[in-house]
Amino acid sequence: MAHASPLTTDGLVQILFGSSAFQMLRAGSDLGLFTLLHRRPGLTPPEIGRELDLEERPVQILLLGTTALGLTVRRGDGYENADVLNGLFAEGTWEIVEDLVEYEERIVRPAEVDFIASLRENTNVGLRRIKGTGEDLYHRLSADPELEQLFYRCMRSWSRLSNPVLVEKADLTGVRSVLDVGGGDGVNAVALAQANPGVEFTVLDLPGTVEIAREKIAEHGLSDRISVRAADIFADAYPTGHDCVLFANQLVIWSPQENVRLLRKAYAALPDGGRVLVFNAMSDDSGDGPLYAALDNVYFATLPAASSTIYRWGQYEEWFAAAGFVKPERLPGGRWTPHGVISAVK
């Protein structure tokens, strides 16, 4: 595992002004700078100002920030996107990053101000920034339909970013039917169904969520292979008849005790030899990374549920054993996000 590099003063500056760094990324995204330079690399500051309808001073501020952060590069008198941004545009994932920027700004940042209180009280204090009365983010979203739509659109983008790992690492050889617990709008089931044409899926989630899933599934022409079922994943028994249970981006939400409960419910619903798959971001057992997991934990500490955390690989193995599963297998994704699959057998 990669370990954190020694901190430099430049690194300290970027941490100290981290909020400002994010605002530079957001401005470059919202104002269209990165899209403009993708279409027309090499534009000069006056040309950029005319295209973005910005005066000289704002253009200087914006380009100084994006270039100092390495988001843009100056070549002579002109500016280009950094190679990493060019790569995202080339693979068609820049629009995903734009969704993630909006998600961070509109959902995460208002709750982040409660990070210290969340640590002191050991609960998601930032949830108070969301309308409604539920004890977790997911039950509150229905009180704000606009925010709910934004949330699930951005969750879909997060999933599009990480789902190549799920599709690559989730081995469904010999599996006939998968129960996707807490499957949201069906994005994970759709991706897996497209990659595994002989497998059927059931998305299990809250009533409002599965209605969104039903529409998305129909849009992909997969209603004959992906069904939906409304349920509370803690209160209701899981339907039988599946030989695999998937928890995708789900067990990071709940406490260790709640995760063992969910895994025991999966164990009860599976036949002998059935498999459980857990897919989400993972932190290293060494406790010093990766950086993505460390910083994303600010969101998990403040907002989703009282005990949300990006857990270590080894913790899942402990929970599998407590629920009765055997033969755990780790399958790291090997990409820039720390997503991976860990599986076990009944």
Side-chain angles (χ1 to χ4, degrees):
M1 295 292 182
H3 295 277
S5 301
L7 182 66
T8 64
T9 51
D10 281 349
L12 180 60
V13 166
Q14 195 155 340
I15 295 169
L16 180 62
F17 294 100
S19 177
S20 301
F22 172 77
Q23 289 305 325
M24 288 295 177
L25 172 63
R26 179 181 170 228
S29 172
D30 288 6
L31 295 172
L33 172 66
F34 304 128
T35 300
L36 173 64
L37 293 181
H38 169 63
R39 295 197 316 264
R40 300 172 60 190
L43 291 180
T44 64
E47 291 170 332
I48 291 170
R50 285 193 293 271
E51 292 294 327
L52 300 184
D53 195 23
L54 294 176
E55 297 187 26
E56 180 180 0
R57 173 180 167 274
V59 169
Q60 290 177 345
I61 292 171
L62 178 61
L63 289 174
L64 173 61
T66 59
T67 305
L69 288 168
L71 295 165
T72 54
V73 179
R74 181 176 179 176
R75 301 195 190 282
D77 293 331
Y79 287 80
E80 301 175 4
N81 285 331
D83 288 344
V84 67
L85 268 65
N86 288 330
L88 294 171
F89 276 105
E91 65 186 21
T93 55
W94 175 250
E95 64 182 25
I96 294 176
V97 175
E98 291 185 315
D99 274 350
L100 305 187
V101 168
E102 184 176 6
Y103 183 81
E104 291 292 316
E105 176 65 22
R106 294 187 55 191
I107 294 179
V108 179
R109 279 173 53 80
E112 281 183 336
V113 297
D114 292 317
F115 179 54
I116 294 174
S118 296
L119 294 179
R120 284 178 171 153
E121 299 181 31
N122 193 27
T123 192
N124 53 333
V125 176
L127 188 63
R128 63 185 176 181
R129 310 292 172 177
I130 306 295
K131 290 193 294 187
T133 57
E135 294 183 359
D136 61 66
L137 175 62
Y138 312 95
H139 285 86
R140 287 203 180 191
L141 285 171
S142 59
D144 189 339
E146 181 185 358
L147 192 68
E148 183 178 44
Q149 286 188 353
L150 171 66
F151 177 83
Y152 283 110
R153 173 167 64 82
C154 293
M155 284 296 100
R156 191 171 188 83
S157 288
W158 280 114
S159 293
R160 284 177 58 200
L161 184 67
S162 59
N163 268 353
V165 174
L166 174 63
V167 170
E168 178 185 352
K169 299 298 180 179
D171 181 8
L172 299 184
T173 303
V175 171
R176 295 176 295 101
S177 181
V178 176
L179 179 65
D180 183 6
V181 178
D185 70 353
V187 63
N188 302 305
V190 166
L192 287 171
Q194 291 172 332
N196 298 273
V199 182
E200 296 183 348
F201 296 81
T202 301
V203 174
L204 190 73
D205 214 316
L206 297 169
T209 304
V210 294
E211 288 309 310
I212 297 171
R214 197 188 307 276
E215 295 175 5
K216 297 294 183 183
I217 292 163
E219 288 174 8
H220 286 86
L222 290 167
S223 299
D224 60 330
R225 290 179 49 217
I226 307 176
S227 60
V228 301
R229 180 160 173 171
D232 183 305
I233 65 171
F234 283 101
D236 300 324
Y238 295 170
T240 56
H242 304 85
D243 47 1
C244 178
V245 174
L246 169 67
F247 294 96
N249 298 310
Q250 186 64 220
L251 299 192
V252 290
I253 299 170
W254 314 111
S255 70
Q257 295 78 16
E258 289 169 319
N259 285 341
V260 172
R261 277 181 60 195
L262 293 176
L263 289 168
R264 284 175 174 158
K265 290 168 72 71
Y267 187 91
L270 284 168
D272 290 343
R275 274 183 270 172
V276 62
L277 301 176
V278 174
F279 168 70
N280 43 236
M282 308 284 187
S283 65
D284 298 340
D285 288 326
S286 57
D288 59 0
L291 182 60
Y292 178 115
L295 297 183
D296 202 18
N297 253 348
V298 175
Y299 161 73
F300 282 103
T302 56
L303 194 56
S307 300
S308 303
T309 305
I310 297 182
Y311 294 103
R312 299 185 302 275
W313 288 94
Q315 291 176 278
Y316 291 98
E317 292 169 341
E318 294 171 5
W319 303 335
F320 284 158
F325 288 102
V326 295
K327 299 179 181 177
E329 182 180 10
R330 300 183 185 190
L331 297 166
R335 296 171 179 251
W336 69 269
T337 70
H339 288 79
V341 172
I342 186 165
S343 66
V345 177
K346 177 173 177 177

